[in-house]
Amino acid sequence: MKKTLLFSGLLLFIGSACSPLTDKEKTDATVNKETIKEHIYYLASDEMKGRDTGSPEILKAADYIADQLKAYGAKPVPGADGYFQAVPIRKKSPAESATLDFSGKNFELGTNLLVLEGQSEKVEGEIVYLNYALAADYEGKDVEGKIVFAKIGDGEATDTRQILQFSRQKYQLALENGAAGIVEFYNLPTSFEQVGARFRSTSLSIDPDGDEGKIIPQLWLKDADNSTQRFMMTRSIKRANIEIKGMVNELTKDKNVLAMIEGTDPELKDEFIMFSAHYDHVGIGRPDETGDSIYNGTRDNAIGTVTVLSAAENIGKYPMRRSALFVLYTGEEKGLIGSRWMADNPIVPLNEIVFCWNSDNAGYNDTTISTVVGLERFTVVPQLIKDANTAYGLTAIDDPAGEQGLFDRSDNVSFARKGIPAPTYSLGFRAFDGDVTKYYHQPGDNPETVDYDYLFKFFSSYVLASRLIGNADETPFWIESDKYYETGKALYGKE
């Protein structure tokens, strides 16, 4: 009798030892509060100086993230540069000084001259006057190596944004036609000084031409009464000189970090769940009352970055039926630059990415919930996300602060616009106030100010939800009433 009981117990032990782990058990096996804390303390340390786009520190953060992904067993994505995708961001600092002179007249930066484009250099060339310097004005004109002078705008536009759009067109036309520079006469109602404020700070923009792109000076010349234009039109002025000093205009070395883990299902592995977050923040800025000027960005978005790393660690150990694509973006704080670049230049075809599971945060004011921006806009996933939260004592709610337009302010929207279902998983907030605004883009957003017991639940629910979505029989999609529904149908070839 004792042998029979012993044998039965042994069979029961072997059976339980060999039974497959549930997705929750797999989640519990990898999500660790100390690991979470270690990653966050590194990414949001003073050493990282706020992880500003274009800074040496964000490159250190990128290397750190790539090393973690590699350690977790995630592989480089075919077509990427190892674990990176270069993002061609041009960083332009304002000129320290600039001058323009012709026919004995001299103009200086700030007084009657603005520099829109350019770099530190001297340019000397023959003058050619081209009315508004729009496409039709170049017909039959040779501007190669010459400095183009033109009226601002198109003769009708008075709105500053429209004027700037025309100026960008004119700059491109001047480049394409080989001009050495372009000067526009500014005579609009908006004060020259007020407009000039736009060009007195460092700016970042995507430059698809990269280092191959030529840079020429583009100036606005104050001419409120049109006297300078009349002077030029009534005299035979041949040449002009432009000199710009202290203006840096160069490509940064920013990059998106990405990796993948292939799925286990012979058919579903062709579908990718994309786990995304931005890892940049806003760098160094105005000091707070304590004198702290480093904006560490613990909540926004070291936590989001580490959320994705937690998913990578888990899926590296326990792959899902679907494949996983992990992407950490640069430049979100500067206009979603990294995600826009990847969405327009995908390494994985967009129609193979069936769900973008983004993580981004401002802060939290309720540790009993997670807030999922866009939760109810999709099929399949709302209940899976809610179930995952319930498993860890949390409640998943949809965005309660619709007035903030949060769905359109994070990297998820770069892919939603392409048709990919893309919610954002955020720390729990009932309203965009209180402890959210206390830390949002503030120097006090430091690693020691967050509740790691709550983060453990938050991270666990994200990872479990990830597994449930990645293993589900049905593929997520937009609900039929959503504005991206038709775009999604076109992307995936749905009838």
Side-chain angles (χ1 to χ4, degrees):
M1 182 66 176
K2 288 182 180 179
K3 289 183 179 180
T4 302
L5 288 173
L6 182 62
F7 182 68
S8 299
L10 183 61
L11 286 176
L12 182 62
F13 173 77
I14 294 173
S16 61
C18 295
S19 62
L21 296 175
T22 65
D23 282 318
K24 185 177 185 304
E25 289 170 333
K26 290 175 181 178
T27 299
D28 293 338
T30 66
V31 180
N32 179 277
K33 184 166 68 173
E34 291 308 311
T35 301
I36 291 168
K37 196 170 185 178
E38 180 181 328
H39 287 325
I40 290 173
Y41 263 81
Y42 178 78
L43 290 170
S45 65
D46 282 355
E47 177 187 348
M48 286 299 172
K49 297 181 180 179
R51 307 186 307 281
D52 199 7
T53 304
S55 70
E57 290 75 26
I58 200 170
L59 300 181
K60 288 178 63 176
D63 288 340
Y64 177 85
I65 293 164
D67 287 345
Q68 303 310 310
L69 290 170
K70 183 177 181 180
Y72 294 148
K75 305 298 183 184
V77 180
D81 180 11
Y83 286 89
F84 304 112
Q85 178 192 36
V87 182
I89 299 176
R90 184 163 295 281
K91 185 175 185 177
K92 182 173 63 178
S93 67
E96 294 176 1
S97 66
T99 57
L100 166 68
D101 64 80
F102 55 83
S103 190
K105 287 186 173 291
N106 299 284
F107 307 91
E108 293 187 358
L109 178 69
T111 304
N112 43 29
L113 201 65
L114 292 176
V115 179
L116 279 70
E117 291 288 349
Q119 59 188 342
S120 296
E121 64 175 340
K122 293 182 179 180
V123 175
E124 190 268 341
E126 183 181 339
I127 289 173
V128 57
Y129 183 75
L130 282 189
N131 197 23
Y132 287 101
L134 294 171
D137 298 318
Y138 281 88
E139 292 179 7
K141 301 292 175 58
D142 175 18
V143 302
E144 184 76 31
K146 301 175 183 179
I147 299 174
V148 172
F149 279 72
K151 300 174 186 177
I152 201 163
D154 67 341
E156 296 181 4
T158 57
D159 180 80
T160 305
R161 287 173 297 180
Q162 290 179 295
I163 296 296
L164 284 168
Q165 288 173 358
F166 278 117
S167 288
R168 284 190 283 269
Q169 291 178 28
K170 294 179 186 188
Y171 179 81
Q172 194 60 38
L173 285 166
L175 270 178
E176 292 170 358
N177 284 276
I182 179 169
V183 179
E184 296 177 75
F185 297 107
Y186 187 90
N187 60 355
L188 299 176
T190 306
S191 75
F192 195 68
E193 292 72 20
Q194 181 180 342
V195 172
R198 291 174 176 261
F199 308 106
R200 287 198 287 267
S201 60
T202 298
S203 65
L204 298 174
S205 60
I206 292 177
D207 183 357
D209 293 329
D211 284 325
E212 301 302 316
K214 183 181 178 182
I215 299 170
I216 62 173
Q218 181 180 27
L219 311 178
W220 279 1
L221 174 59
K222 184 179 180 180
D223 191 25
D225 59 1
N226 298 319
S227 60
T228 305
Q229 290 183 68
R230 288 195 298 270
F231 177 82
M232 290 193 70
M233 298 301 293
T234 57
R235 288 167 173 78
S236 179
I237 301 172
K238 299 296 186 183
R239 306 188 74 81
N241 296 279
I242 297 171
E243 183 173 8
I244 301 172
K245 293 181 179 179
M247 185 175 189
V248 177
N249 196 333
E250 62 187 8
L251 287 182
T252 71
K253 296 180 180 179
D254 280 87
K255 46 200 175 183
N256 294 328
V257 188
L258 65 166
M260 64 171 288
I261 295 172
E262 189 174 50
T264 60
D265 188 284
E267 294 182 4
L268 291 181
K269 71 178 182 180
D270 294 332
E271 296 182 356
F272 283 87
I273 305 296
M274 181 165 72
F275 302 86
S276 67
H278 72 92
Y279 68 100
D280 64 303
H281 195 54
V282 298
I284 296 175
R286 180 181 299 175
D288 62 12
E289 63 278 2
T290 70
D292 187 0
S293 62
I294 300 176
Y295 289 61
N296 298 88
T298 297
R299 293 158 176 80
D300 182 18
N301 192 34
I303 285 175
T305 300
V306 181
T307 306
V308 173
L309 288 179
S310 294
E313 180 180 11
N314 179 270
I315 297 166
K317 187 170 183 179
Y318 304 109
M320 308 180 302
R321 295 173 69 195
R322 289 181 176 83
S323 294
L325 175 65
F326 308 99
V327 189
L328 291 308
Y329 299 110
T330 188
E332 189 268 359
E333 300 288 359
K334 302 301 190 292
L336 314 182
I337 290 177
S339 61
R340 286 193 291 116
W341 178 253
M342 184 174 169
D344 291 336
N345 302 272
I347 292 178
V348 172
L350 294 179
N351 62 0
E352 293 181 11
I353 302 171
V354 298
F355 191 68
C356 172
W357 195 202
N358 190 51
S359 184
D360 195 6
N361 304 280
Y364 60 91
N365 50 31
D366 188 338
T367 57
T368 69
I369 64 171
S370 65
T371 301
V372 186
V373 180
L375 176 63
E376 302 294 347
R377 296 176 68 166
F378 315 100
T379 65
V380 185
V381 296
Q383 192 57 52
L384 299 180
I385 294 170
K386 291 173 184 177
D387 290 344
N389 273 262
T390 300
Y392 290 98
L394 300 177
T395 301
I397 68 167
D398 207 336
D399 177 14
E403 76 283 353
Q404 294 289 329
L406 297 176
F407 190 92
D408 297 319
R409 286 170 53 183
S410 188
D411 293 307
N412 63 298
V413 77
S414 297
F415 295 89
R417 288 170 180 156
K418 301 292 185 179
I420 298 171
T424 292
Y425 200 67
S426 297
L427 295 166
F429 63 93
R430 298 281 184 183
F432 207 84
D433 59 14
D435 278 351
V436 176
T437 52
K438 176 182 177 181
Y439 292 104
Y440 180 57
H441 286 193
Q442 298 299 320
D445 186 15
N446 296 318
E448 68 274 12
T449 64
V450 294
D451 181 341
Y452 286 93
D453 290 329
Y454 169 56
L455 288 189
F456 174 74
K457 297 178 183 179
F458 177 79
F459 278 57
S460 297
S461 61
Y462 177 86
V463 172
L464 179 54
S466 302
R467 297 201 61 82
L468 297 178
I469 296 166
N471 289 326
D473 291 331
E474 187 179 349
T475 302
F477 195 60
W478 302 95
I479 60 173
E480 192 168 352
S481 60
D482 198 273
K483 68 177 182 179
Y484 294 119
Y485 177 77
E486 293 297 334
T487 307
K489 284 176 64 178
L491 175 66
Y492 299 115
K494 291 179 176 286
E495 295 297 331

